[in-house]
Amino acid sequence: MRFMKSLGILILPVMLQGQPTNPWSNAPATGAWNFNAGLASIVTSAYQGTGGSQVRVVPYFSVRYGPVVFSPIEGLGVRLRSGDRWSYGAFIGAGFDKRRTTDSIQPELKLNAIYDLGTWDAGFSVKQRLGNTENRGLSWEGDLRYTLWETPDLRLRSSVVVAWMDETYGRNIFGTGAGLKSIGLNINAFYTLTPRWSFIGIMGLSQLQGEAKRSLLVNRTDKMTAVVGAIYQF
């Protein structure tokens, strides 16, 4: 199952993707350095598929030079734009999906794309675990986001996320087979206080589906998440 302490720090870069006022958007495509650091308080369950909630304070940082990005969470890769609507990312980094806390973190290839439609945008991401046979697996997510409210300083958005898994992932993480993994609904806010300081907030609910929901390793199929954080751009 997923180790939620590690999953928690994934929320910060996920929150930043697709936000037109986020610090990454201010970095020129070539020949410029961009540094971001942040801290977030996260309330969520200890594992995907289990009950009980934990509160964690999680740091985050990223370094970008032109299209090249590095962070301990995403790993090393590139983030590119094509015209005004398409953006793409490709990274090699650590994969945090686990069945047990004793499982080692495995390398992972991560690919994503976002198509900006203005009020709406759509995203798609694929993650291929590159570890040993007992830790491999392919998962992918599709999400549709809608802007509920937007001003020069504040953006409030909702999103629906649908996740799938292949047979290897299902076997190694849930002890099951392939299929639909989960469906989730998120509400998030991004507030720009100054050109350097920004604040984020998120409320999310996800529900395991299909084989994952029926897994004997799962004793709770829903998961609530709440996040409040701050980001500083150097």
Side-chain angles (χ1 to χ4, degrees):
M1 295 183 182
R2 182 167 292 179
F3 185 35
M4 295 308 298
K5 180 178 180 180
S6 300
L7 176 64
I9 47 183
L10 286 170
I11 294 175
L12 282 171
V14 171
M15 284 287 295
L16 287 170
Q17 290 179 16
Q19 299 282 1
T21 55
N22 79 63
W24 286 342
S25 297
N26 298 329
T30 59
W33 286 98
N34 181 262
F35 301 88
N36 297 295
L39 197 66
S41 177
I42 300 170
V43 181
T44 189
S45 56
Y47 300 93
Q48 181 171 303
T50 192
S53 297
Q54 298 182 1
V55 180
R56 301 191 183 275
V57 178
V58 177
Y60 169 76
F61 76 88
S62 70
V63 179
R64 175 171 178 169
Y65 184 77
V68 180
V69 180
F70 171 77
S71 78
I73 310 308
E74 286 189 299
L76 178 64
V78 295
R79 190 178 302 283
L80 302 171
R81 294 195 66 87
S82 177
D84 295 330
R85 298 193 180 276
W86 280 105
S87 62
Y88 311 90
F91 293 85
I92 291 288
F96 296 98
D97 292 359
K98 296 184 177 184
R99 180 187 290 188
R100 302 174 298 268
T101 58
T102 55
D103 291 346
S104 60
I105 294 175
Q106 301 295 317
E108 190 171 74
L109 173 65
K110 310 169 188 179
L111 306 174
N112 60 67
I114 299 172
Y115 187 72
D116 187 354
L117 294 168
T119 302
W120 293 88
D121 62 52
F124 185 77
S125 63
V126 178
K127 297 190 298 182
Q128 174 62 59
R129 294 162 59 82
L130 304 175
N132 57 47
T133 303
E134 295 181 353
N135 288 283
R136 290 182 182 175
L138 180 73
S139 62
W140 55 99
E141 291 185 354
D143 66 276
L144 185 64
R145 310 166 192 172
Y146 178 73
T147 302
L148 301 169
W149 180 268
E150 185 171 16
T151 70
D153 298 324
L154 175 65
R155 193 177 213 202
L156 182 64
R157 311 191 81 188
S158 63
S159 62
V160 176
V161 183
V162 182
W164 295 265
M165 59 187 180
D166 73 352
E167 185 174 357
T168 304
Y169 183 103
R171 180 179 66 250
N172 290 334
I173 302 300
F174 292 103
T176 64
L180 182 63
K181 185 179 77 167
S182 63
I183 296 176
L185 174 65
N186 299 317
I187 301 292
N188 65 67
F190 193 95
Y191 179 69
T192 303
L193 180 64
T194 72
R196 296 192 179 276
W197 279 105
S198 300
F199 296 92
I200 60 172
I202 183 171
M203 290 291 295
L205 172 65
S206 66
Q207 176 81 40
L208 292 176
Q209 303 291 322
E211 294 284 341
K213 183 177 181 178
R214 294 188 291 271
S215 169
L216 297 178
L217 301 175
V218 169
N219 56 42
R220 182 169 181 172
T221 60
D222 64 310
K223 178 172 68 70
M224 293 286 296
T225 301
V227 181
V228 177
I231 301 167
Y232 182 78
Q233 178 181 339
F234 295 91

